[in-house]
Amino acid sequence: MNKGLRRPIIAGNWKMYKTVKEGEELVNGLKRELYKVTDVDVVVCPPFTLLVNISDMLLETNIGLGAQDTFWEEEGAYTGEVSAKMLKDAGCQYVIIGHSERRQFFDETDESVNKKIFAALKNALTPIVCVGENLSEREKGIAFDVIKKQLDGGFKGVSEVDIEKIVIAYEPVWAIGTGKVATPEQAQEAHKYIRGWLSKAYGTDIACKIRIQYGGSVKPDNIKGLMANEDIDGALVGGASLKVETFTAIVMNSR
């Protein structure tokens, strides 16, 4: 499949880090270091409390803004939730959906992922949809079964037109925040499986166009090896996105 059809995308998931001041300092640094990058889509995903401030800072820059989660209803009596409509209004272009930490700690299901995808698409947000297995599932040899279930459930009813608007992030859960990283061969194997699923579900032509990121202890020194693979189109970066130097190096080494 022609990797040249797909523009690399590097997204930084800040998780529950950074005050407003700290986030602004980080974004100022990224603007300074990355302003010449035109061949990679760069995205930052701060906590909800920073979105409006950082949206203003990113106007007319080459850095996109994403949120870390959303709710599937537009509005209502859902204390603590934030809708896709609100995220769009705050200046977001992207939203992470189904991150493994949401699945692990907050009971995210494939069904809720599916509803959130439709909410994001309705509000012209690009969903970054996460799938991946945990360590016990990999050791049992059922990693692809787990991924297939997540894809089947998460993308249920998603049309051929809408699937092209989505980014998929493969997260081997055992590699997130552990310092472990899937080998480039392991990552490529999973990405190839996901693209094969897309081919069966939507056809090869569409599957060729969809970007699949790798997420799991991505660092400046391993991004080149990952990106060299045919089916890896970028990275969803966690801890290394919290410093100007490391996130900049990942972006630069992904090219």
Side-chain angles (χ1 to χ4, degrees):
M1 292 194 179
N2 188 354
K3 186 170 182 172
L5 294 171
R6 304 184 298 272
R7 180 180 170 88
I9 177 168
I10 305 293
N13 175 15
W14 295 6
K15 306 190 180 185
M16 199 175 71
Y17 292 97
K18 302 297 182 186
T19 62
V20 171
K21 182 181 178 183
E22 290 167 346
E24 289 176 348
E25 290 173 352
L26 175 53
V27 166
N28 275 327
L30 295 176
K31 286 168 63 176
R32 182 181 65 246
E33 297 296 329
L34 297 174
Y35 73 97
K36 290 184 178 179
V37 174
T38 58
D39 53 352
V40 178
D41 286 341
V42 181
V43 183
V44 293
C45 300
F48 292 134
T49 50
L50 281 71
L51 291 176
V52 172
N53 294 53
I54 290 178
S55 173
D56 290 342
M57 296 177 69
L58 295 179
L59 289 174
E60 298 182 13
T61 73
N62 58 338
I63 301 174
L65 180 66
Q68 298 176 21
D69 189 26
T70 189
F71 193 58
W72 55 79
E73 296 289 354
E74 291 267 301
E75 56 186 17
Y78 304 103
T79 300
E81 294 294 341
V82 178
S83 71
K85 179 180 178 181
M86 293 171 177
L87 296 179
K88 188 69 176 179
D89 185 56
C92 291
Q93 298 98 37
Y94 299 83
V95 58
I96 299 171
I97 295 174
H99 191 280
S100 61
E101 290 160 0
R102 300 299 310 176
R103 295 178 189 262
Q104 179 181 355
F105 299 123
F106 303 101
D107 300 322
E108 187 84 87
T109 65
D110 298 329
E111 291 73 25
S112 60
V113 166
N114 183 251
K115 290 192 285 187
K116 290 178 179 185
I117 288 171
F118 281 105
L121 292 169
K122 181 180 178 182
N123 288 278
L125 294 170
T126 297
I128 298 175
V129 182
C130 303
V131 299
E133 80 285 358
N134 62 36
L135 183 59
S136 67
E137 290 162 343
R138 173 161 281 272
E139 290 176 341
K140 290 175 186 174
I142 59 170
F144 290 170
D145 296 332
V146 171
I147 294 169
K148 182 180 187 303
K149 179 178 178 293
Q150 292 169 342
L151 293 168
D152 287 344
F155 294 124
K156 185 177 181 180
V158 175
S159 70
E160 293 182 359
V161 171
D162 282 339
I163 195 69
E164 291 191 37
K165 302 172 185 174
I166 292 172
V167 176
I168 299 175
Y170 166 64
E171 306 179 296
V173 181
W174 46 273
I176 297 173
T178 63
K180 296 180 181 179
V181 63
T183 64
E185 293 77 17
Q186 287 173 318
Q188 165 59 18
E189 184 183 36
H191 282 239
K192 184 178 180 181
Y193 175 83
I194 293 167
R195 203 172 302 284
W197 182 93
L198 289 166
S199 291
K200 290 176 185 175
Y202 295 99
T204 302
D205 289 347
I206 290 175
C208 282
K209 299 176 186 177
I210 296 170
R211 296 182 292 181
I212 309 173
Q213 298 175 301
Y214 171 79
S217 296
V218 177
K219 302 285 191 303
D221 60 358
N222 62 33
I223 185 66
K224 269 193 185 296
L226 291 163
M227 291 295 294
N229 288 280
E230 174 67 24
D231 292 297
I232 299 178
D233 306 310
L236 182 58
V237 186
S241 71
L242 299 174
K243 293 183 178 178
V244 174
E245 299 78 13
T246 50
F247 192 62
T248 296
I250 288 169
V251 172
M252 294 304 188
N253 290 343
S254 72
R255 304 162 77 191

